[in-house]
Amino acid sequence: MNQEQKKGKTDSEIFPPEQAAEYRANDLKVLREGLTMEFEEIADLEDGPHTSIVHKFPLFDTHGNIYATGGVATDITERKRADEQLRRLSGELLRSQDEERRRIARDLHDSTGQDLVALATMLGQLRASTPFSSPKSRGLVSECQALAEHCIREIRTLSYLLYPPMLDEAGLEDAIRHYLDGFAKRSGIRVDLEVSPGFGRMTREAELALFRVVQESLTNVQRHSGSLQAKIKLVRNAHEVTLEISDTGRETSDSELKRDKWLPFEVGVGIPSMHERVKLIGGRLSIATGNNGTTVSVTLPAEGERHEAASNSDR
């Protein structure tokens, strides 16, 4: 920290009272216990708040006795500001991606999907009007109709994976249940869902972030674990919300989790994006792997989240 900026100011003027008391307590701890400490301090200087990393250490005399404390402060204000700017830009990018996914999903469902439904209907009418004396023609029409119906199912699945409309309409719990039904059919993996009673609604940003964590975690179960079953626990109490996705497969390495592999209809967001999404809603994400499988855990404070009435006002 620039000593010129501190010149003429007392500690009580530079630091808030509670911080000044904490820093004095740190000095005493170093003196009494001979410990080396590292902590972060925020000083109110003439050009605004400055953040520093402070290293405090004991000073010894020739007899090995502690007579004072020494310290080195490294100003990290600009780094903090850059990190905050990066987080803000990252959040804007994720929100833009989600809005684009929502738009594409809506277009696929409302435009392309409806056109394919009309095509399948007309092919059915054409098949019905084709004379039985033309089995080859009727067979071709039947194949075209079956192909159109297959495309309809794929478009609907892809649309839902890009952005599930049920997330906005019914909330996180119902969106996850609907997603698990389709995931089980596509992958053959059974997923048990346990949700605490009266879970309620959250902000749209929090619900979307947790849904993406579920989506990506199950994608990684299918890609890497070899497990045929998984479990999701979604718990909410007065203090925090926790989400836990676990499988019973083999240990999964970091390189496997970070490796990109394409799977039909798996629209993953990636491990780094999962971390960033959770951080943006004030939560923590951890991934633990071992012989009993892999567990992805998310914890975020319940404070600031809203139940259905408040959540609907965000929509």
Side-chain angles (χ1 to χ4, degrees):
M1 182 179 298
N2 191 330
Q3 295 299 319
E4 290 297 322
Q5 291 177 303
K6 295 177 65 174
K7 188 176 181 181
K9 284 191 174 185
T10 65
D11 282 353
S12 60
E13 293 174 315
I14 295 172
F15 305 113
E18 64 277 6
Q19 289 190 25
E22 180 185 345
Y23 301 152
R24 286 193 292 271
N26 288 339
D27 282 341
L28 288 175
K29 195 168 186 178
V30 172
L31 282 171
R32 291 170 179 169
E33 303 179 24
L35 299 175
T36 298
M37 301 187 66
E38 177 181 311
F39 55 90
E40 192 174 289
E41 70 175 20
I42 302 175
D44 186 15
L45 303 180
E46 293 180 359
D47 60 344
H50 276 245
T51 303
S52 297
I53 293 292
V54 179
H55 298 267
K56 283 289 180 77
F57 47 85
L59 298 177
F60 298 90
D61 59 21
T62 55
H63 301 288
N65 299 314
I66 301 173
Y67 70 92
T69 64
V72 177
T74 305
D75 195 319
I76 59 170
T77 304
E78 290 304 317
R79 190 181 78 191
K80 282 276 189 179
R81 290 171 181 167
D83 288 345
E84 180 59 33
Q85 178 74 353
L86 182 60
R87 279 194 295 270
R88 187 181 66 80
L89 293 174
S90 178
E92 291 178 0
L93 176 60
L94 286 173
R95 283 188 286 272
S96 296
Q97 289 175 339
D98 288 330
E99 287 303 317
E100 185 66 10
R101 283 184 171 191
R102 182 189 281 113
R103 184 191 65 78
I104 294 172
R106 185 176 60 246
D107 288 347
L108 284 173
H109 183 274
D110 296 344
S111 179
T112 307
Q114 296 307 312
D115 288 344
L116 286 170
V117 169
L119 175 61
T121 301
M122 288 187 288
L123 286 169
Q125 294 171 350
L126 179 60
R127 180 178 180 277
S129 63
T130 302
F132 282 94
S133 58
S134 304
K136 185 175 180 180
S137 298
R138 289 177 63 85
L140 287 173
V141 173
S142 296
E143 289 179 12
C144 290
Q145 185 181 13
L147 181 59
E149 291 171 350
H150 177 70
C151 290
I152 291 170
R153 291 192 296 269
E154 289 189 332
I155 287 292
R156 286 175 177 170
T157 301
L158 181 57
S159 173
Y160 185 85
L161 291 177
L162 281 169
Y163 195 95
M166 191 173 290
L167 193 61
D168 288 343
E169 297 165 4
L172 180 63
E173 180 180 351
D174 286 348
I176 290 177
R177 290 190 187 281
H178 189 268
Y179 174 75
L180 294 183
D181 288 340
F183 178 79
K185 292 175 184 176
R186 294 190 303 274
S187 66
I189 299 172
R190 189 194 64 175
V191 184
D192 296 324
L193 176 62
E194 180 183 324
V195 183
S196 59
F199 187 84
R201 297 298 302 267
M202 304 172 69
T203 62
R204 185 171 71 180
E205 186 178 38
E207 289 185 337
L208 179 58
L210 294 179
F211 181 84
R212 293 301 189 202
V213 171
V214 169
Q215 195 175 28
E216 181 67 19
S217 298
L218 292 181
T219 298
N220 285 325
V221 170
Q222 184 180 0
R223 287 172 174 170
H224 308 299
S225 76
S227 175
L228 293 179
Q229 59 183 15
K231 184 175 182 179
I232 297 175
K233 291 180 65 176
L234 192 57
V235 180
R236 183 177 190 170
N237 57 39
H239 305 291
E240 64 183 17
V241 175
T242 58
L243 168 67
E244 189 176 281
I245 307 103
S246 57
D247 64 67
T248 57
R250 62 181 177 81
E251 183 173 357
T252 306
S253 67
D254 289 342
S255 61
E256 286 179 311
L257 288 174
K258 295 175 182 177
R259 187 185 309 149
D260 282 328
K261 289 184 178 179
W262 183 86
L263 286 175
F265 304 119
E266 292 299 341
V267 186
V269 297
I271 300 296
S273 290
M274 283 169 54
H275 280 283
E276 192 62 32
R277 283 179 181 277
V278 172
K279 187 187 299 182
L280 287 171
I281 59 172
R284 304 184 308 277
L285 181 144
S286 62
I287 302 174
T289 64
N291 294 330
N292 295 325
T294 300
T295 299
V296 177
S297 302
V298 176
T299 304
L300 63 146
E303 183 181 2
E305 304 299 341
R306 298 291 183 265
H307 286 269
E308 187 168 0
S311 179
N312 285 340
S313 67
D314 293 336
R315 289 167 169 75

